[in-house]
Structure formats: structure tokens, C-alpha cells
Amino acid sequence: LMSLSLEGGKEPDGILSKTIDRAVDIGVVVVYAAGNNGPDENSVGGSARKAITVGAVDKYKNLAHFSSRGPVVFYEKEGSAKKVMMKPDILAPGVSIDAVSNVVNRNEIISSFTGTSMAAPHISGVVALIKQNNPLLTPLQIKTILKNSAERLSNYKLNEQGSGLVNAKEALKEKGNIGVNLYEIYKLDNYENTYIIKGAIEGNNFEHYNLDVAEVTDSSFSQEHNWRKLVSKNSLPSDEILGEASLRVGDNLIRLRVFDKEGNFFDDY
């Protein structure tokens, strides 16, 4: 388990982000502070695809004004198609957090700190508890547990809260037999309104997955969306490409929904 609070990491294809993704590939769960550059959009620092990127709330479940927002907008190279990825992944307490700031004559000095650097360790602690419960879980399965058990905050958009506020009690109830991660979406060159959707799915209990779209004016969880199915497949993707779809002009919310053999489903957006 790595808990990181670093400058940089805004580019998903940058050296830092690629290094983090490689660490996840060998079994390390990486928790990354989203940064304190809010409330502007596209300000998230921890943009590695496979990291768990963490924003901050106060004790009243209000999103911290400084907490960096998504979406992450980036380009593979100059002149290439725009890619969009949704971050942060989840929220945790990060305002006025008491912690040891110094030790004097063996006495701990307690101070109050604020920032997503305070939120990320909360997620790391929950990850440790989940891993203790089931040491065989993969980083992707743990990320899926956290996101699917989180409390959605109705006042905030997807690019502000990710899947919502961490809920440790519910997370520890999850089996975690499926891992789900929607990476990014980008327009296919020379094709009008045709997009590639990339991500990852894993799990021995996999049954099938759907890619759905909702045309929205507000990408929040405060309303019920009318979902339209784009893709349905009963085999795992081998090259991270989940599907290709034609999207209408305007704001589109994409949902990856994966079903296991018992009929349970796991979402990412």
C-alpha cells in the first residue's frame, strides 16, 4: 500500500502516472491526494488511471472548496484527439484534521491540518482494513469496493465527488469479487461522433458488462438518469478497449456496469 501526496501527476500519460500504474500492476494499492487546486475544473493532480484519487470534505460532508475537481482532460500527443477521464475517485475527511506535528521530550504535539493530504490517509486506512479482511483482493477489486460502497452526496457533481464519501463500514461488508475501472473516452480520428471507451474489468465471477450513456445537463447523482445501452459483452476486454460507440452532440455521462454470475452489479463512471 502506498499513500501519496505529491506535486505533479496531472498528466495520465506522464512519467509519474505511468510509474504509479506499473506499481498497481504488480499488486500495490496506490492512494493519491487529488490536490488543493479547487474549485476549478480539470485541476486534479493525482491522475494516474489505476490510482485511487482522493478529494476532501469537512465534518458536515461539505466538499472542501480547495479540493481539486475533474474531469481530467488530456491529449496523448500534440494535435491528437482530446481524452477525458473522471477524477477524483472518492472523498474523505480533509478539513481540520488533528495529527501529530512534532514530538518534544517524548510528548506528542497535536496540530490541526487541512488538505487532500489529510483525506488520502483516511482512504489508506480503510484499504488496510479491507486488505486485512481479504489479503487476496487485487488493487482493482479494492478500488471497486471503495467506490461502490461510498455514500453519494446529492449536492455535488460526479467530477467533484467521484463515487462519493468513503463508508468504511459498508466497504468491509463487500466481497470484492469483481474489479471495475472506467479509464477514459476519446473521439475516434476521422469519424464524426464515434468514441472509444477504455477501461479494465477483472474477476473470476464475471458474467457480462454493459456500457450505458445518459444525455445530461448536470452530471450529478441528484437525479435519475435515462440510460441508453451502447454496448453489451459477455467476455472480458483483452486490450482495455471496452467498446466503440456513437454519441450525440452535448454532455454525455458514461456508465460501465459489470455483472457477476449471481446477478450483482458494480459501476464506474
Side-chain angles (χ1 to χ4, degrees), residues 98 156 250:
D98 291 340
Y156 301 106

Side-chain angles (χ1 to χ4, degrees), residues 46 48-55 86-91 143 146-147 150 161-164 181-182 268:
R49 293 171 176 85
K50 301 176 184 179
I52 302 169
T53 304
V54 187
M86 198 58 69
K87 290 280 185 175
D89 294 301
I90 199 166
L91 301 175
K143 184 176 185 177
L146 286 169
K147 296 183 73 171
Q161 67 168 313
S163 292
N181 201 165
L182 186 59
D268 201 14

Side-chain angles (χ1 to χ4, degrees), residues 121-188:
H122 284 84
I123 299 298
S124 298
V126 179
V127 169
L129 291 172
I130 294 171
K131 194 73 171 175
Q132 185 178 42
N133 262 5
N134 188 349
L136 298 180
L137 289 173
T138 68
L140 181 53
Q141 289 169 334
I142 290 173
K143 184 176 185 177
T144 302
I145 287 172
L146 286 169
K147 296 183 73 171
N148 278 262
S149 61
E151 177 188 351
R152 294 177 175 178
L153 304 180
S154 60
N155 295 330
Y156 301 106
K157 296 179 182 179
L158 185 65
N159 67 296
E160 296 172 328
Q161 67 168 313
S163 292
L165 177 62
V166 64
N167 187 326
K169 185 176 181 179
E170 291 301 315
L172 291 171
K173 295 178 183 178
E174 297 283 335
K175 294 180 180 179
N177 56 1
I178 295 289
V180 181
N181 201 165
L182 186 59
Y183 289 158
E184 64 211 46
I185 178 172
Y186 58 93
K187 192 174 181 180
L188 192 60

Side-chain angles (χ1 to χ4, degrees), residues 99-111:
V100 176
S101 61
N102 201 356
V103 178
V104 178
N105 297 326
R106 297 185 179 180
N107 294 315
E108 296 179 343
I109 307 300
I110 306 297
S111 299

Side-chain angles (χ1 to χ4, degrees), residues 12 24 41 51 69 74 84 88 93 103 120 163 191 197 221:
V24 175
E41 293 188 354
R69 272 73 159 171
F74 62 107
V84 179
V103 178
S163 292
Y191 287 85
I197 303 166
F221 288 123

Side-chain angles (χ1 to χ4, degrees), residues 18 57 75 87 114 127 135 149 157 160 169 192 209 269:
K18 286 186 174 181
V57 296
Y75 301 83
K87 290 280 185 175
T114 289
V127 169
S149 61
K157 296 179 182 179
E160 296 172 328
K169 185 176 181 179
E192 186 176 359
Y209 73 87
Y269 299 84

Side-chain angles (χ1 to χ4, degrees), residues 212-225:
D212 306 308
V213 63
E215 288 80 26
V216 298
T217 56
D218 175 15
S219 57
S220 71
F221 288 123
S222 61
Q223 58 178 307
E224 289 294 325
H225 298 300

